[in-house]
Coordinates of all heavy atoms in Angstrom, one line a residue:
M1 N 108.2 111.9 115.8 CA 107.5 111.0 115.0 C 108.5 109.9 114.5 O 109.6 110.2 114.0 CB 106.9 111.7 113.8 CG 106.1 110.9 112.9 SD 105.3 111.8 111.6 CE 104.9 113.3 112.3
P2 N 108.2 108.6 114.7 CA 109.1 107.6 114.3 C 109.3 107.5 112.8 O 108.4 107.8 112.0 CB 108.4 106.3 114.8 CG 107.4 106.7 115.8 CD 107.0 108.1 115.4
H3 N 110.5 107.1 112.4 CA 110.8 106.9 111.0 C 111.2 105.5 110.8 O 112.0 104.9 111.6 CB 112.0 107.8 110.7 CG 112.4 107.8 109.3 ND1 113.7 107.9 108.9 CD2 111.6 107.8 108.1 CE1 113.7 107.9 107.5 NE2 112.5 107.8 107.1
A4 N 110.7 104.8 109.8 CA 111.1 103.4 109.5 C 111.6 103.3 108.0 O 111.1 103.9 107.1 CB 109.8 102.6 109.7
D5 N 112.6 102.5 107.9 CA 113.1 102.2 106.6 C 112.1 101.2 105.9 O 111.8 101.3 104.7 CB 114.4 101.5 106.6 CG 115.5 102.5 107.0 OD1 115.4 103.6 106.7 OD2 116.4 102.0 107.7
D21 N 110.7 103.7 103.7 CA 111.2 105.0 104.0 C 110.0 106.0 104.4 O 109.7 106.9 103.6 CB 112.0 105.6 102.9 CG 112.8 106.8 103.3 OD1 113.1 106.9 104.5 OD2 113.1 107.7 102.5
V22 N 109.4 105.7 105.5 CA 108.2 106.4 105.9 C 108.3 106.9 107.3 O 109.1 106.5 108.1 CB 106.9 105.5 105.9 CG1 106.6 105.1 104.5 CG2 107.0 104.4 106.8
R23 N 107.5 107.9 107.6 CA 107.3 108.4 109.0 C 105.9 107.9 109.3 O 105.0 107.8 108.5 CB 107.4 109.9 109.1 CG 108.8 110.3 108.9 CD 109.1 111.5 109.7 NE 110.5 112.0 109.5 CZ 111.5 111.7 110.4 NH1 111.2 111.0 111.5 NH2 112.7 112.1 110.2
R52 N 114.2 99.9 111.4 CA 115.1 101.0 111.1 C 116.5 100.5 111.0 O 117.1 99.9 111.9 CB 115.0 102.0 112.3 CG 115.9 103.2 112.1 CD 115.2 104.2 111.2 NE 116.1 105.4 111.2 CZ 116.0 106.3 110.2 NH1 115.1 106.1 109.3 NH2 116.8 107.3 110.2
Q53 N 117.1 100.6 109.8 CA 118.4 100.0 109.6 C 119.6 100.9 109.5 O 120.7 100.6 109.4 CB 118.4 99.1 108.3 CG 117.4 98.0 108.4 CD 117.1 97.3 107.1 OE1 117.7 97.7 106.1 NE2 116.3 96.3 107.1
R54 N 119.3 102.2 109.5 CA 120.3 103.2 109.5 C 120.1 104.1 110.8 O 119.1 104.2 111.3 CB 120.3 104.0 108.3 CG 118.9 104.7 108.0 CD 118.8 105.3 106.7 NE 117.4 105.4 106.3 CZ 116.9 106.3 105.5 NH1 117.7 107.0 104.8 NH2 115.7 106.3 105.3
P55 N 121.2 104.8 111.2 CA 121.1 105.6 112.4 C 120.0 106.7 112.2 O 119.9 107.3 111.1 CB 122.5 106.2 112.5 CG 123.3 105.4 111.6 CD 122.5 104.8 110.6
A56 N 119.3 107.1 113.2 CA 118.3 108.1 113.2 C 119.0 109.5 113.1 O 120.1 109.7 113.7 CB 117.4 108.1 114.4
T57 N 118.4 110.4 112.3 CA 118.9 111.8 112.3 C 117.7 112.7 112.7 O 116.6 112.3 112.6 CB 119.4 112.2 110.9 OG1 118.3 112.0 110.0 CG2 120.5 111.3 110.4
N58 N 118.1 113.9 113.1 CA 117.0 114.9 113.5 C 116.3 115.4 112.4 O 116.2 115.7 111.4 CB 117.6 116.0 114.4 CG 118.1 115.4 115.7 OD1 117.6 114.4 116.2 ND2 119.0 116.0 116.3

Side-chain angles (χ1 to χ4, degrees):
M1 183 175 326
H3 184 220
D5 291 325
D21 195 26
V22 297
R23 294 213 177 259
R52 181 79 177 161
Q53 298 173 355
R54 56 189 160 158
T57 59
N58 291 334

